[in-house]
Amino acid sequence: MEYYIKDIKKDEFNGREIELNGFVNSIRKGKNNSFLILRDPSGTIQCVSHSADKGFDEVNKITRESALRIKGNIKKDERAEGGYELSIKDLSIYSIAEPFPLKKGHKKVFLFDNRHLWLRSGKMTAIMKIRSTVFSSIHEFFLANDFYEIQSPSFVGGSVEGGSTLFETDYFGKKAYLTQSWQLYAEAMVNSLWKIYTVAPSFRAEKSRTWRHLTEFWHAEAEMAFKTNEEVMDVEEKLVKLVVKNVLIKNADELKLLKRDTKVLENTVNKPFLRMKYEEIIDLANKKGLKLEYGADLGADEERAITSSLDIPVFSINYPIELKPFYHKPDPKDEKHVLCNDLLAPEGYGEVIGGGQRVDDKETLLKRLKDEGLNEKDYEWYIDLRRYGAIPHSGFGVGVDRLVMWICKLPHIMYSVPFPRTPRRLNP
Ligand code: 4AD
Ligand code: MG
């Protein structure tokens, strides 16, 4: 029987003999007794070997991060951390580790240089477990709501989210780009499947180096036929509520380890999100001491100021048309604004979702492409979608790494990704 450490720290295991695999977190060697802390994905347990025991000499060869299989007896012991101790009866060594380079107090750059080792730490393990819950919850939500999961290419011929963040690659002598979003392909596929989603990497050659930008990020995107901006916001809200609820239930221990105050997460599950028009957001920002003119774009700093005192996510809606890409539908009641929404996470985190209603007629689309200086020829197939049976449709994209960053309340998006990619980091 395979056991994890967490499973055996229970009364019913007191006195029982079990076997565990694990890595050595730390070791304290003595003449009469040696203690080691064994770690597996579920937690840690103190293991003790007495000088008279079989394997005592072996224990004394062990170093930090050595990998072992231990057979021993579980004993309730108030003095041990976690209340249980394993007394070692037999030991097999998978490998003895060389001196481990990571110690307390390293600088961030050194830790990210050693990300392959740092991921073993308790904190990073907790973040990755929460990340796993976030991803599985996204799939759970879409599948429970009758969406089809469908994929789009990563090599593309043109931009979705503006040319300035396109990654260019050589494609057999032609220029190709890495995709910024599945959206344009989704708008084709939505005509046959009506409710679709994907979870895939998107790429942005971000020149702005901020605490919330990666060059490769995980994008959960959805597209829905016959839905409006308002309706798509309801879907976004339900999705975020389910993700956060699942994390609160499944990852209570991890949130505790990260010292995450869960009040705001509970609000997110239980209370309706706020909805504010762009103008109201600008007013709020100026009340917080910013000096934003109407028409200003909202970046990381502005959104940080706006959301730092909020305790629930807010939809920031209906931006001026100049601030948003060509595919956003102008509001028929006010053509200077588009039917869009950004979901801003509270506590200073800002945008985690971008979405809205799409332009669904050919003339408006041609005008929007022209106004943005884009070449109609590059979008021929996309314009076709307005020629041959166009419908109202809406969608959104969740920055999953940003969502994880906020849920865990991390200081930088790099912590939320196993191996982050930024302009300065391609290794490990
Ligand atoms: O707001 P964005 O650019 O919207 C789109 O790409 C739409 N085409 C999505 C859609 O409607 N299908 O990106 C969506 C989200 C942002 O809200 C943000 O959370 C995340 O993707 N994001 C990034 N995350 C990390 N690093 C970056 N460089 C990101 N750029 C966007
Ligand atoms: Mg956006």
Side-chain angles (χ1 to χ4, degrees):
M1 180 83 184
E2 287 283 338
Y3 289 110
Y4 279 115
I5 289 169
K6 198 175 163 197
D7 305 327
I8 60 167
K9 287 180 167 176
K10 290 181 187 139
D11 272 353
E12 67 203 78
F13 279 87
N14 197 15
R16 270 174 63 180
E17 184 184 284
I18 53 107
E19 278 189 72
L20 287 175
N21 284 322
F23 285 74
V24 176
N25 243 12
S26 63
I27 180 149
R28 187 155 44 88
K29 295 170 188 171
K31 228 163 93 193
N32 301 321
N33 301 307
S34 289
F35 294 91
L36 63 84
I37 304 291
L38 194 75
R39 179 187 78 241
D40 75 6
S42 75
T44 58
I45 188 164
Q46 175 168 294
C47 306
V48 60
S49 179
H50 305 288
S51 54
D53 291 345
K54 188 177 158 209
F56 184 72
D57 294 340
E58 294 246 89
V59 170
N60 282 334
K61 285 190 230 156
I62 289 165
T63 55
R64 183 177 164 206
E65 291 306 318
S66 293
L68 315 172
R69 183 167 181 83
I70 296 179
K71 192 197 269 182
N73 285 92
I74 295 288
K75 206 173 75 207
K76 216 172 174 168
D77 188 334
E78 299 300 319
R79 292 164 304 173
E81 204 191 297
Y84 288 85
E85 190 180 70
L86 189 73
S87 69
I88 300 173
K89 283 175 73 179
D90 203 5
L91 179 92
S92 51
I93 296 173
Y94 293 115
S95 72
I96 296 288
E98 295 178 25
F100 197 59
L102 299 194
K103 298 187 179 69
K104 275 212 165 74
H106 282 303
K107 292 231 160 67
K108 208 176 97 189
V109 173
F110 180 84
L111 291 171
F112 278 108
D113 284 343
N114 287 282
R115 187 69 169 161
H116 52 297
L117 302 176
W118 186 27
L119 284 172
R120 298 180 192 183
S121 76
K123 256 193 182 173
M124 293 308 131
T125 304
I127 295 168
M128 294 308 139
K129 284 186 193 170
I130 292 172
R131 185 179 169 92
S132 171
T133 304
V134 170
F135 275 80
S136 61
S137 305
I138 290 171
H139 288 286
E140 180 188 328
F141 176 83
F142 285 120
L143 296 174
N145 287 285
D146 300 321
F147 282 71
Y148 293 100
E149 181 180 7
I150 200 88
Q151 294 73 32
S152 71
S154 296
F155 285 124
V156 295
S159 81
V160 196
E161 296 300 323
S164 70
T165 63
L166 275 179
F167 263 116
E168 197 177 301
T169 77
D170 172 51
Y171 197 74
F172 306 107
K174 281 196 207 142
K175 272 186 199 170
Y177 308 98
L178 296 181
T179 187
Q180 298 164 306
S181 162
W182 84 326
Q183 187 188 318
L184 305 191
Y185 296 96
E187 288 185 62
M189 297 184 285
V190 82
N191 289 332
S192 53
L193 294 165
W194 294 15
K195 283 168 80 172
I196 55 175
Y197 85 100
T198 201
V199 182
S202 282
F203 304 88
R204 310 263 170 115
E206 295 287 356
K207 277 117 210 158
S208 57
R209 278 198 286 260
T210 74
W211 51 270
R212 64 178 197 175
H213 284 96
L214 296 164
T215 50
E216 174 178 353
F217 68 96
W218 279 83
H219 211 169
E221 297 186 87
E223 199 69 26
M224 282 155 273
F226 310 107
K227 296 287 180 223
T228 62
N229 188 42
E230 290 290 321
E231 290 167 320
V232 98
M233 279 191 275
D234 293 340
V235 176
E236 292 170 39
E237 180 164 347
K238 285 188 186 130
L239 167 65
V240 171
K241 281 181 153 58
L242 179 77
V243 168
V244 173
K245 184 176 145 206
N246 280 352
V247 170
L248 282 168
I249 294 169
K250 295 185 185 173
N251 299 109
D253 290 348
E254 285 74 35
L255 292 170
K256 207 158 143 196
L257 188 144
L258 296 172
K259 301 194 170 82
R260 175 60 160 127
D261 171 6
T262 54
K263 188 85 200 91
V264 170
L265 301 180
E266 281 150 22
N267 285 345
T268 301
V269 176
N270 298 320
K271 294 186 183 169
F273 294 1
L274 307 174
R275 293 187 183 190
M276 294 170 83
K277 288 206 160 166
Y278 170 83
E279 287 88 339
E280 296 173 87
I281 289 279
I282 294 289
D283 285 348
L284 178 66
N286 289 338
K287 276 198 197 111
K288 304 262 174 215
L290 298 187
K291 292 198 176 70
L292 297 182
E293 305 261 344
Y294 173 84
D297 204 356
L298 304 178
D301 293 342
E302 291 81 19
E303 288 180 5
R304 175 142 272 186
I306 292 160
T307 63
S308 57
S309 57
L310 295 183
D311 62 359
I312 184 109
V314 56
F315 283 106
S316 164
I317 62 179
N318 293 30
Y319 281 58
I321 196 161
E322 312 75 53
L323 294 182
K324 290 286 175 184
F326 65 91
Y327 56 74
H328 285 286
K329 184 179 170 73
D331 184 348
K333 288 189 238 122
D334 165 17
E335 302 256 316
K336 290 201 167 84
H337 292 84
V338 286
L339 299 171
C340 70
N341 71 80
D342 278 4
L343 182 68
L344 312 183
E347 302 174 284
Y349 282 91
E351 184 185 346
V352 288
I353 304 184
Q357 196 166 335
R358 320 309 191 187
V359 171
D360 49 25
D361 72 284
K362 195 178 80 183
E363 278 61 44
T364 311
L365 180 61
L366 293 177
K367 181 171 182 310
R368 293 283 275 133
L369 285 169
K370 197 166 157 217
D371 289 349
E372 288 209 17
L374 294 165
N375 190 347
E376 215 180 289
K377 285 213 173 60
D378 294 337
Y379 294 88
E380 261 314 308
W381 69 260
Y382 184 69
I383 300 165
D384 265 358
L385 303 175
R386 278 77 187 160
R387 289 192 178 105
Y388 307 113
I391 52 167
H393 60 289
S394 301
F396 61 89
V398 185
V400 188
D401 317 286
R402 284 195 190 174
L403 192 58
V404 173
M405 167 172 64
W406 163 60
I407 290 173
C408 298
K409 209 171 178 185
L410 304 173
H412 196 292
I413 195 167
M414 287 172 75
Y415 292 84
S416 67
V417 193
F419 293 100
R421 292 290 173 258
T422 68
R424 272 189 284 203
R425 187 161 291 282
L426 195 54
N427 274 304

